[in-house]
Amino acid sequence: MKALIIGGSGFLGAELVRQARAAGHATAATYHATKPDDPSEVAWRPLDLRDAARLDAVMAELCPHFVVNASSVKGDWAVTAESPVRVAMAAAKYGSRLVQVSSDAVFSGARAHYDETCLPDPVTPYGAAKAAAETGVRVVYPKAVVARTSLIIGHGRSVHERAVHDLAVGTRDGVLFKDDIRCPVHVTDLAAALLELATCDTSGIHHLAGADALSRHELGTLIARRDGLDASRLPEGLRAHSTLPGALDVRLDSRATQRNLRTTLRGAREFCTAPRLPSSPAL
């Protein structure tokens, strides 16, 4: 099958590209500013998602069987909220399956536990943008999949893992919140699950988060211990006492989606207990 990974130069996108190629898909991917230094046979295409004509040209050239949109820019409504709708319209036009990656940021945390039937009630601009994208995508392309996920961890290259390392060695100011609860997912599990959804006959909302609900401090402690760092040096605090906006406790319930997947969405207590594997090549 022909695959197109939008946002292929990002953390999740790079893993999607790697796994799509490993599965034998003829893989193309997009980047916004700088073409990745990638010696593989991936067909890279520059793409600004705000440019509808360029998006249509890429889709017309590649005619992918499926598209996974892993792009997102916090603070940019045009990219995060509006562009996914253009992608959905293009996918519908060219008959491509579509998986739109969304976020647990669409929820306020008022009820803590959220399954696929729960309606978005965002409390941040980023969450509002993601919720708007979900609605727009499903309106213009009902056959699309919207896949919500949580904190993405893996290979030592995620934002959270880098922050934990910096905090543990004292090269960064800040704290890890003990009241900010999420369900972290490993990037390899998430990418595999997204590709499963892209290649099977399904649609609608799906949740792809890890099995364990942890605070950011608990997660940081697991990462520090895994990587041989002194977890006792990790500063802690409460988000409720900070000025940062956002939900405190959002636990994505992925059990309904998990029942139909071959891929196991491991919890952080499992994937952080083994020594970290060497990083996948950066794309």
Side-chain angles (χ1 to χ4, degrees):
M1 299 177 76
K2 292 187 287 185
L4 174 60
I5 310 301
I6 295 177
S9 57
F11 177 53
L12 172 58
E15 182 63 20
L16 284 163
V17 169
R18 186 190 70 80
Q19 290 195 29
R21 289 191 64 249
H25 299 301
T27 305
T30 72
Y31 62 94
H32 179 240
T34 304
K35 181 180 179 181
D37 183 14
D38 174 25
S40 72
E41 296 180 357
V42 174
W44 287 98
R45 297 293 185 272
L47 178 63
D48 183 335
L49 282 173
R50 295 166 296 187
D51 186 341
R54 173 60 184 164
L55 172 61
D56 187 79
V58 169
M59 289 291 292
E61 175 197 359
L62 298 172
C63 290
H65 292 98
F66 67 84
V67 178
V68 181
N69 183 14
S71 67
S72 184
V73 180
K74 288 188 177 182
D76 192 324
W77 181 272
V79 172
T80 304
E82 297 173 3
S83 294
V85 180
R86 283 190 285 272
V87 173
M89 293 173 67
K93 176 180 177 179
Y94 291 99
S96 304
R97 284 190 49 76
L98 173 64
V99 176
Q100 169 66 33
V101 180
S102 191
S103 166
D104 58 11
V106 302
F107 296 121
S108 70
R111 59 180 295 165
H113 297 272
Y114 293 88
D115 65 17
E116 289 88 344
T117 66
C118 294
L119 297 177
D121 59 341
V123 293
T124 64
Y126 176 69
K130 280 293 192 180
E134 289 187 6
T135 300
V137 166
R138 297 187 70 194
V139 166
V140 303
Y141 196 16
K143 293 181 179 180
V145 168
V146 171
R148 297 179 183 136
T149 191
S150 189
L151 289 178
I152 307 175
I153 306 299
H155 307 315
R157 293 174 47 230
S158 69
V159 171
H160 195 78
E161 287 166 291
R162 293 198 301 268
V164 167
H165 278 242
D166 291 344
L167 288 168
V169 299
T171 59
R172 175 180 178 147
D173 294 328
V175 299
L176 295 176
F177 295 127
K178 300 187 74 173
D179 58 346
D180 188 328
I181 313 297
R182 298 294 186 272
C183 295
V185 64
H186 199 281
V187 68
T188 57
D189 299 345
L190 176 58
L194 289 168
L195 291 173
E196 271 197 62
L197 293 174
T199 54
C200 68
D201 185 19
T202 190
S203 61
I205 301 289
H206 296 267
H207 284 183
L208 300 176
D212 297 329
L214 299 170
S215 73
R216 291 179 186 261
H217 187 269
E218 289 175 303
L219 176 59
T221 298
L222 289 175
I223 291 169
R225 290 173 178 168
R226 179 199 67 185
D227 295 348
L229 301 171
D230 184 356
S232 68
R233 297 192 62 186
L234 294 174
E236 60 187 56
L238 295 177
R239 185 166 188 163
H241 293 168
S242 78
T243 58
L244 291 176
L248 292 181
D249 191 342
V250 178
R251 310 180 190 208
L252 288 189
D253 183 344
S254 304
R255 289 175 295 179
T257 296
Q258 178 69 88
R259 284 193 289 269
N260 296 311
L261 290 177
R262 298 186 306 274
T263 302
T264 298
L265 299 166
R266 296 169 292 164
R269 292 188 180 93
E270 178 180 352
F271 64 68
C272 283
T273 53
R276 193 180 75 202
L277 297 174
S279 297
S280 299
L283 295 180

